[in-house]
Amino acid sequence: MTSPPAVAPLGVGDPIAIGPYTLRGRIGAGGMGMVYLATDPTGAPVAVKVIRPEMAEDPTFRNRFRREVAAARRVPRFCTAAVRDADPDGHPPYLVTDYVSGPTLSQAVRHQPLTGADLDQLAITIATALTMIHSVGVVHRDLKPGNVLMGPTGARVIDFGIATAHDMTVIHTQQAGTPEYMAPEAFTTGTPSPAMDIWAWGAVLLFAATRHPPFPPEPAATLPHRICHQQPDHLHRLHEPLRSAVTAAMAKTPAARPTAAELYQQLTGPAPIPSTPTRSGTTATSWIPDTQPPHPWPGPPAPVAPPLLPRPRARRPRTIAIAAVTVAAVAVAATVVAVTLIRHPTRTLTADQRITAARTLTAAASTTTDPALAARLAVAAWHLDPTNSTPALISATAGRLPATAETAHAGPVTTVALTPDGQTLATSSKDHTARLWSIRDPDHPVPVATLPHAAAVTAISINAAGTLATTGSEDQTLHLWNIHDPAAPTDAGTYTLTARPIAVLFDPTGPRLVVSASNGQLLVLDITDPAHLTTLATIHAHTTAFTAAFIPHTNTVITVGGDSAIRLWDLSNPATPTPIGRITPTVIPTNLAITADGRTLATSNFDGTMSLWDIHDPANPAALTTLHPPDNTTPDITQGTGSFTIRLQGMADAVAFNPAGTLLSAGDDTGTVRLWNITNPHNVTPSATLHAHTAAIEDLIFTRDGTHLITAGDDSTARIWNITPESLYQRTCATPTGQLTPDEWRHILPHTPYQTPCPTVSPRN
């Protein structure tokens, strides 16, 4: 996955704020002004384009800028960086858009050109964006590789008619644009038209396929002649039908070029044509109307790129070893409403057709506001392309289907733990019990034993051998249990503390127990003889303790406290724990989780955020990237390298990684669980939302094989969620409304024969 471009520091002459936006760095410069990365008053990242003073003094320019801002607001946000705010009458005038995290096309192909399906996807995406832009009366005028962002949700066309209106670097013409991607008529007329954008579309596709512009840019003085009289280079390197589409798009005569919608139709099949004029010679000089244009045609699907996949971690910290669900990043597309339906005889699709159709269905599932329809679309996509559509299936169905099973207590469930073989689940509760459950069949847990206490049980842990459990209670006692036979556990010993145990941990390297107590103390206990525990060390780690966890396969413990500190301790010598590292977050953390490889720490925080830290060198922990609403995919550089932040609805109570460390999950005090794909921690994408409980989430954990998620809540239940794609597919298909109907299919894929998503279910119509 390509990394987002670097952001340059502010220069000496740069402002530090524009309106309510705080500037953080330079994204780029154009002939019209400077583009900055900034944060809005909530801390969310945005792009702010500030107009140059000399242009701001021109009343004609301000009027045109005002019209262009109004037109830009009408372009659907999936095509471009959506406009958030603008002040064309300000001093200076400025425009605020979404900040799209991703490299430009120029940067993305720096080392390797696009080929095959990736090139096809880019072609269709840009054709779709141009269809939408032209349909609301806007001409881009500077479509080039630098104005195509390869964002986390796919390619987006930016800066149409606004940011680079005067970004001109060649002589012989006053037409706006970048010479290598300008149409022949741009050198002879000042009238912009959609046909110029179509030419640029072909030029951009040639660049993506070859890493070279279609005409040699040097010498610059003869470039207009080459564009007007010679054929573009490298057309032979394109495959069909892309070669024919690019050849037509780069016709010397504007009237001979197809419209954007016709390009889409040539590449994918029949598509509706927008009602607004799109060919050269049919528009006014600026082609930006002062009045509201006709209602824009919804357009063909815009393929988008890799999203997401779930992952979880727990209320009280724990690490999860080995194996998990492996899910590929999925390419998605934006939803389409078809006006013209072309019926084909039913036939089997080729492998490429299945993948393309699955991408379109996945995109539609991600954009619809109807959860039931989203599930049907995701099921249809998964049926066509299980490998790439798994994330969409989980996102659309796991939150709709009820938990496979649940275990009930008479009071809030505080923590959950698993034996190393994954066959026994332990739960603790404020109902004064801990309980053991057989989950050999996770869909049907069976209660096997109850561990009674005199007060609420706040913590539970199981040793690496799966033979010993420990529980902590609000009466300041610690209990050890022999669970070699989970159906017949025995009390192996009780230890009285001076404060309430918050977290209890078995030392993975020896017969020791580590206890994080409510008074901020960290205790190291020798459990060689469980009936007679002895204290090896007591350290005052925090003013108030929240939780603690071992870094897997090490002697290092991480503690979290109410003093807003995260501390790392070396327990190589258990009698003398040594502090080796410290993290000082800006928000008080409440819980933590560590990946199985011991390289990444996640904390949940009081303000509803989560933070990620690189701890591969425990003595020098480092913050990772930052993410803020609304789309949870944009890095925030307000803290330099930043901490990775995801904001939940309420206070974050639990956080967890899946066994592979590719998924992050968090539960909040509203009972909601959210999951993110963190395969690339610098490009985190949301995966699924589970409305798991009716009260706060206290803990969550994945099963050892990663097929199920277990959540514990204040509604007195622990719930087991089956997130296996095959199971979700079968369970959704088995519901009365689980299969996409032929009419719904044709609405999304008018040119593709209907494929029954659930072969064992008769399709509804």
Side-chain angles (χ1 to χ4, degrees):
M1 194 173 289
T2 353
S3 301
V7 177
L10 294 175
V12 175
D14 288 324
I16 60 174
I18 294 291
Y21 304 96
T22 303
L23 306 187
R24 303 299 183 181
R26 287 185 174 191
I27 296 175
M32 180 174 135
M34 185 71 67
V35 184
Y36 298 96
L37 177 62
T39 49
D40 67 14
T42 71
V46 293
V48 178
K49 301 170 186 179
V50 182
I51 307 307
R52 295 185 184 279
E54 62 271 23
M55 302 191 72
E57 297 302 318
D58 183 352
T60 301
F61 170 78
R62 279 190 184 259
N63 287 334
R64 192 180 79 184
F65 179 55
R66 192 177 293 109
R67 292 197 307 271
E68 289 177 335
V69 168
R73 291 184 187 274
R74 296 194 294 269
V75 177
R77 63 184 301 135
F78 73 80
C79 297
T80 184
V83 175
R84 290 192 176 190
D85 188 14
D87 187 1
D89 299 312
H91 299 281
Y94 64 86
L95 170 71
V96 182
T97 69
D98 284 345
Y99 174 64
V100 179
S101 173
T104 64
L105 176 60
S106 302
Q107 295 163 327
V109 302
R110 184 171 295 160
H111 302 295
Q112 183 176 353
L114 297 183
T115 59
D118 290 335
L119 189 62
D120 290 339
Q121 179 179 323
L122 179 71
I124 297 170
T125 300
I126 300 177
T128 301
L130 289 179
T131 300
M132 304 305 294
I133 291 168
H134 294 169
S135 72
V136 295
V138 180
V139 179
H140 191 294
R141 289 175 286 175
D142 194 20
L143 181 62
K144 60 183 178 180
N147 279 341
V148 177
L149 289 181
M150 309 299 281
T153 57
R156 295 200 196 185
V157 176
I158 62 168
D159 287 348
F160 50 91
I162 299 174
T164 52
H166 291 191
D167 191 4
M168 175 69 187
T169 56
V170 73
I171 56 174
H172 304 309
T173 178
Q174 295 303 310
Q175 171 64 40
T178 300
E180 296 95 310
Y181 302 94
M182 286 166 54
E185 64 272 21
F187 296 94
T188 59
T189 177
T191 303
S193 73
M196 292 180 177
D197 288 347
I198 300 304
W199 169 282
W201 173 88
V204 167
L205 265 294
L206 274 173
F207 173 84
T210 65
R211 295 190 293 161
H212 298 286
F215 299 93
E218 299 296 336
T222 60
L223 178 60
H225 176 81
R226 290 194 295 276
I227 290 175
C228 291
H229 300 288
Q230 297 177 8
Q231 291 303 308
D233 292 342
H234 309 301
L235 276 170
H236 66 282
R237 295 179 60 176
L238 299 177
H239 57 269
E240 291 292 354
L242 189 56
R243 182 190 307 161
S244 297
V246 170
T247 301
M250 300 189 74
K252 301 299 183 186
T253 304
R257 298 172 203 151
T259 65
E262 288 168 345
L263 281 175
Y264 175 86
Q265 178 176 341
Q266 184 173 348
L267 293 173
T268 65
I273 308 300
S275 58
T276 48
T278 56
R279 291 191 182 276
S280 175
T282 62
T283 63
T285 300
S286 69
W287 217 75
I288 299 173
D290 290 307
T291 58
Q292 180 73 20
H295 183 72
W297 168 67
V304 208
L308 35 125
L309 172 61
R311 69 246 21 220
R313 195 70 243 124
R315 162 67 177 136
R316 99 157 146 56
R318 73 195 75 247
T319 56
I320 303 180
I322 325 210
V325 182
T326 302
V327 185
V330 59
V332 298
T335 162
V336 52
V337 178
V339 178
T340 304
L341 298 180
I342 306 297
R343 294 183 179 271
H344 299 272
T346 301
R347 70 172 191 269
T348 302
L349 303 182
T350 66
D352 285 346
Q353 287 173 327
R354 292 173 71 88
I355 291 172
T356 301
R359 288 173 176 171
T360 303
L361 292 166
T362 298
S366 69
T367 56
T368 181
T369 57
D370 181 347
L373 177 59
R376 293 196 293 275
L377 291 164
V379 161
W382 194 86
H383 176 68
L384 295 174
D385 183 15
T387 299
N388 293 315
S389 300
T390 291
L393 180 69
I394 294 175
S395 180
T397 61
R400 291 190 65 248
L401 296 171
T404 301
E406 63 182 52
T407 61
H409 279 265
V413 181
T414 54
T415 54
V416 289
L418 288 168
T419 54
D421 62 9
Q423 296 187 1
T424 302
L425 168 68
T427 58
S428 64
S429 172
K430 292 184 179 180
D431 67 0
H432 298 198
T433 69
R435 300 186 185 184
L436 302 179
W437 311 79
S438 172
I439 57 169
R440 291 176 185 271
D441 177 1
D443 296 343
H444 301 91
V446 177
V448 294
T450 298
L451 310 178
H453 292 70
V457 185
T458 55
I460 191 166
S461 183
I462 298 172
N463 70 350
T467 58
L468 198 63
T470 182
T471 53
S473 177
E474 284 190 349
D475 62 3
Q476 301 183 7
T477 59
L478 197 67
H479 296 258
L480 287 170
W481 307 86
N482 185 334
I483 59 167
H484 187 271
D485 178 2
T490 58
D491 191 337
T494 301
Y495 187 84
T496 301
L497 305 171
T498 59
R500 178 168 53 92
I502 300 295
V504 290
L505 316 168
F506 283 99
D507 189 333
T509 63
R512 290 175 293 275
L513 196 63
V514 175
V515 181
S516 177
S518 59
N519 60 3
Q521 290 183 347
L522 190 70
L523 309 176
V524 183
L525 307 177
D526 187 332
I527 59 171
T528 304
D529 179 1
H532 301 88
L533 304 187
T534 58
T535 302
L536 298 177
T538 301
I539 55 177
H540 296 279
H542 301 273
T543 55
T544 302
F546 288 156
T547 193
F550 272 98
I551 297 179
H553 317 299
T554 72
N555 298 105
T556 302
V557 168
I558 302 180
T559 60
V560 171
D563 51 3
S564 297
I566 302 170
R567 292 184 169 88
L568 294 86
W569 308 86
D570 183 357
L571 299 188
S572 298
N573 183 348
T576 57
T578 305
I580 58 172
R582 177 187 172 113
I583 298 172
T584 306
T586 56
V587 179
I588 298 176
T590 60
N591 214 327
L592 66 90
I594 305 170
T595 52
D597 62 9
R599 299 180 63 90
T600 306
L601 165 70
T603 61
S604 56
N605 307 316
F606 264 114
D607 67 348
T609 65
M610 293 189 300
S611 303
L612 288 184
W613 314 85
D614 183 345
I615 57 168
H616 79 276
D617 178 4
N620 297 287
L624 294 175
T625 52
T626 298
L627 207 67
H628 283 290
D631 60 7
N632 288 343
T633 56
T634 310
D636 175 5
I637 64 165
T638 58
Q639 302 176 34
T641 53
S643 65
F644 167 93
T645 304
I646 297 173
R647 192 171 303 279
L648 305 177
Q649 286 183 335
M651 185 179 75
D653 290 326
V655 59
F657 290 104
N658 75 329
T662 56
L663 303 176
L664 179 66
S665 177
D668 64 26
D669 59 7
T670 70
T672 301
V673 173
R674 287 178 172 78
L675 307 103
W676 289 267
N677 183 337
I678 59 165
T679 304
N680 177 358
H682 297 280
N683 181 24
V684 179
T685 52
S687 175
T689 299
L690 304 180
H691 298 288
H693 294 264
T694 58
I697 306 295
E698 293 289 344
D699 200 0
L700 40 80
I701 188 174
F702 262 123
T703 55
R704 302 306 189 192
D705 59 4
T707 61
H708 291 71
L709 171 66
I710 303 172
T711 57
D714 279 350
D715 58 1
S716 303
T717 64
R719 304 189 183 191
I720 304 175
W721 303 82
N722 186 331
I723 58 168
T724 309
E726 293 82 357
S727 178
L728 291 173
Y729 170 76
Q730 293 167 3
R731 293 172 64 198
T732 306
C733 280
T735 64
T737 60
Q739 174 165 252
L740 200 67
T741 68
D743 283 345
E744 289 171 331
W745 176 285
R746 286 189 293 268
H747 195 62
I748 305 300
L749 295 166
H751 53 281
T752 304
Y754 179 73
Q755 307 291 301
T756 304
C758 304
T760 59
V761 179
S762 298
R764 299 173 294 117
N765 210 6

